[in-house]
Amino acid sequence: MGNLVPVRTGDDDTLWAVVATVGRKSRVAEVFRSRDQALHDRAWRDQQVKAYADWLVRAKQPVPHYSVTPIRRSELPRAWAPLPALGFLRGQMI
């Protein structure tokens, strides 16, 4: 009886997602347990985009917009993986 596992209920399944949007396409860039962590990550991603804004325009790469929203673990796509701040580094923007 000493090995009981607490049952998770309600909002324990809710995460905070940093969502990258370009035009009409959106993709979850990263997920966090706390809103503060997600806001910090969004600020970092915004800073990276601003730092490379001129280069993005010259390279004709779309400039992503980042937002924070609650998401449930079940809403994440099965093959989801975190997205770099400048997503084209993976050969895809979104």
Side-chain angles (χ1 to χ4, degrees), residues 18 29-30 41-49 66 83-85:
V18 178
E30 186 63 89
D41 184 73
R42 184 196 67 186
W44 174 78
R45 289 170 185 275
D46 285 340
Q47 183 269 328
Q48 293 296 301
V49 169
Y66 292 100
L83 182 68

Side-chain angles (χ1 to χ4, degrees), residues 78-93:
R78 283 188 182 189
W80 177 81
L83 182 68
L86 302 173
F88 62 86
L89 295 174
R90 258 200 209 155
Q92 62 185 20
M93 191 56 198

Side-chain angles (χ1 to χ4, degrees), residues 2-65:
N3 295 336
L4 293 177
V5 177
V7 176
R8 292 184 177 205
T9 60
D11 291 337
D12 287 344
D13 191 35
T14 301
L15 301 170
W16 290 92
V18 178
V19 178
T21 304
V22 174
R24 293 183 181 179
K25 289 186 175 184
S26 293
R27 180 163 175 222
V28 175
E30 186 63 89
V31 292
F32 296 93
R33 287 220 170 261
S34 79
R35 185 172 186 266
D36 288 339
Q37 289 174 317
L39 290 171
H40 179 74
D41 184 73
R42 184 196 67 186
W44 174 78
R45 289 170 185 275
D46 285 340
Q47 183 269 328
Q48 293 296 301
V49 169
K50 286 178 186 173
Y52 289 94
D54 290 337
W55 184 84
L56 289 168
V57 171
R58 285 193 314 268
K60 298 181 182 175
Q61 292 287 333
V63 178
H65 169 75

Side-chain angles (χ1 to χ4, degrees), residues 60-81:
K60 298 181 182 175
Q61 292 287 333
V63 178
H65 169 75
Y66 292 100
S67 59
V68 172
T69 187
I71 188 172
R72 294 196 180 275
R73 187 177 307 274
S74 62
E75 295 172 349
L76 285 172
R78 283 188 182 189
W80 177 81

